[in-house]
Amino acid sequence: MLNGMKKPMITISLLNLFILFLIFTHNKASAQPYTTLVAPVKKDATTSLYTIILNSNERYVVDLSAPFSWQRCPLHHYPRVACVSTECFQAQYLLSPSCPLPYTMSTTRPCTCMVTPINPRTKSCALAQLTSTNLTISWTDGANPTAKITFSDRYLSCAPASLLYSLPRGIVGLASLSWAPLALPAQFSPPFLGVSRKFAICLPSTSSGNGVVFFGDGPYNLLPLTKFDVSSLLSYTTLLKNPKSADYFIGIKALSISGNSIAQSPYEGIKISTVVPYTTFRTDIYELFLKFFKKAMKGIPRTKKIDLEFANGKNWTIYGANSMKQVGGDSACLAFLDGGKTPEHSIVIGSFQLEDNLLLFDLDESRLGFSSSLYFERITCGSFNFTTRV
């Protein structure tokens, strides 16, 4: 009797294995051949902030520093995350010291994970709950969006309406592109999908164009109807991390204007930001910069270039369009600011200097790829083709 029962069990097991084999081979044959995700980036004319579009029409402010994304949540119906979960720890350990969690935590049982999302412009924060939601984004073949994919249970924070103050009208929240484990680059690259933990971003200089952010290996094609991969223009330097913040930093050996070095002292911990509008220097660096800039301006309408010089011999060159801000007619202002005598960071590279540059944040290799201005290739960051709809 026992022997008679075993044979059917073995037969069923082999049949199941055969079915699984057929499913696997079918999935492999019909698998998405692309390993790059893409989303539009728009510039807001009023605030000069940038928004990424997810879920077809939801706009989120782009922030390279936030430890997690956040959004307005329904009043009552949204998933809670337990305070003893891995995701709760990942969200809380990078919270800003200026917005600590209160001693009185969640009184619900089981306990709910509480966090403090921050408005990146006003630096105001609020006590809110960590939650999860679905996020939809497009695949790309490098030239056009080709299909959509929905990620379920992506973690972000709820936020009150007051946190949207001073941000672009119509947004639903903030999208974190930092190196933190709950930022979008990590949550869009689960191991089974084949998307590398890297992203390339191209910020448009006008509110009428479509900038773009790619998640994955590329190709990164910014020109409609062509297959030119802009990553071929990139030079690289090391990405630096501070384990107590989610910011991206780089280090330079010198800063020069039109080939004349301002100082040879290395500057470590230079922050890259999409929410600080113009590059800021600590007062002593700014005064030195301004002195050399005025000297370089003598006899010419505009200085030729500003170089961030790296130890590996590569230069990130900031040309006139990214160093002077047009204010009407033939007038232009220097797009660099005095950040004060004791700022948190001695140099912060602002978003104006990032426009129409392709930046590749390679988190797996801890390196930053930079193109310098794309103007000389007759390319801008406002011409990506999002006309294909699926």
Side-chain angles (χ1 to χ4, degrees), residues 101-382:
L101 289 169
Y103 290 111
T104 304
M105 299 297 290
S106 171
T107 58
T108 61
R109 293 292 181 269
C111 62
T112 300
C113 183
M114 306 301 293
V115 290
T116 50
I118 299 177
N119 178 312
R121 272 286 170 87
T122 65
K123 302 303 180 184
S124 60
C125 54
L127 184 64
Q129 294 182 349
L130 192 67
T131 186
S132 62
T133 190
N134 296 341
L135 293 176
T136 298
I137 192 172
S138 295
W139 289 105
T140 180
D141 60 1
N144 298 291
T146 58
K148 292 187 182 297
I149 179 172
T150 296
F151 291 84
S152 60
D153 299 327
R154 300 300 95 176
Y155 292 92
L156 44 70
S157 168
C158 292
S162 59
L163 221 58
L164 300 176
Y165 176 74
S166 79
L167 300 180
R169 294 185 63 181
I171 68 162
V172 298
L174 176 143
S176 170
L177 299 186
S178 72
W179 63 262
L182 293 189
L184 294 185
Q187 296 206 70
F188 281 163
S189 57
F192 68 85
L193 198 61
V195 176
S196 298
R197 208 164 59 98
K198 63 177 67 170
F199 70 94
I201 190 166
C202 210
L203 297 180
S205 55
T206 68
S207 58
S208 59
N210 278 319
V212 62
V213 57
F214 300 95
F215 297 92
D217 285 316
Y220 311 130
N221 175 29
L222 302 177
L223 292 172
L225 307 179
T226 74
K227 294 293 184 180
F228 178 63
D229 185 355
V230 185
S231 65
S232 62
L233 303 176
L234 299 179
S235 298
Y236 293 88
T237 189
T238 302
L239 266 180
L240 306 176
K241 290 182 181 179
N242 179 341
K244 295 183 179 180
S245 79
D247 296 300
Y248 294 110
F249 299 97
I250 55 175
I252 62 173
K253 72 171 185 178
L255 181 66
S256 64
I257 297 177
S258 295
N260 299 310
S261 180
I262 294 176
Q264 291 294 333
S265 300
Y267 295 98
E268 299 292 340
I270 296 174
K271 179 180 172 179
I272 304 173
S273 175
T274 53
V275 298
V276 174
Y278 303 102
T279 293
T280 60
F281 296 115
R282 193 179 61 223
T283 296
D284 60 315
I285 303 173
Y286 179 77
E287 290 175 348
L288 197 59
F289 175 84
L290 195 59
K291 175 183 176 181
F292 276 78
F293 191 88
K294 288 179 178 179
K295 183 178 180 180
M297 287 283 285
K298 289 183 178 179
I300 56 173
R302 293 186 185 181
T303 188
K304 293 181 180 179
K305 62 179 183 175
I306 298 165
D307 282 313
L308 303 178
E309 301 178 12
F310 299 102
N312 63 1
K314 302 297 184 180
N315 288 2
W316 180 352
T317 302
I318 300 172
Y319 293 97
N322 292 106
S323 62
M324 302 294 292
K325 170 71 173 178
Q326 292 293 135
V327 292
D330 295 328
S331 300
C333 292
L334 180 63
F336 296 84
L337 302 177
D338 185 345
K341 293 182 179 180
T342 57
E344 183 180 3
H345 307 291
S346 60
I347 301 176
V348 177
I349 300 177
S351 58
F352 185 80
Q353 280 68 43
L354 305 181
E355 291 178 347
D356 293 313
N357 286 241
L358 181 70
L359 297 180
L360 173 60
F361 294 81
D362 188 338
L363 307 188
D364 289 328
E365 299 295 330
S366 295
R367 63 177 186 166
L368 173 72
F370 54 93
S371 66
S372 296
S373 177
L374 295 171
Y375 285 147
F376 297 100
E377 302 294 331
R378 298 183 179 180
I379 302 173
T380 71
C381 288

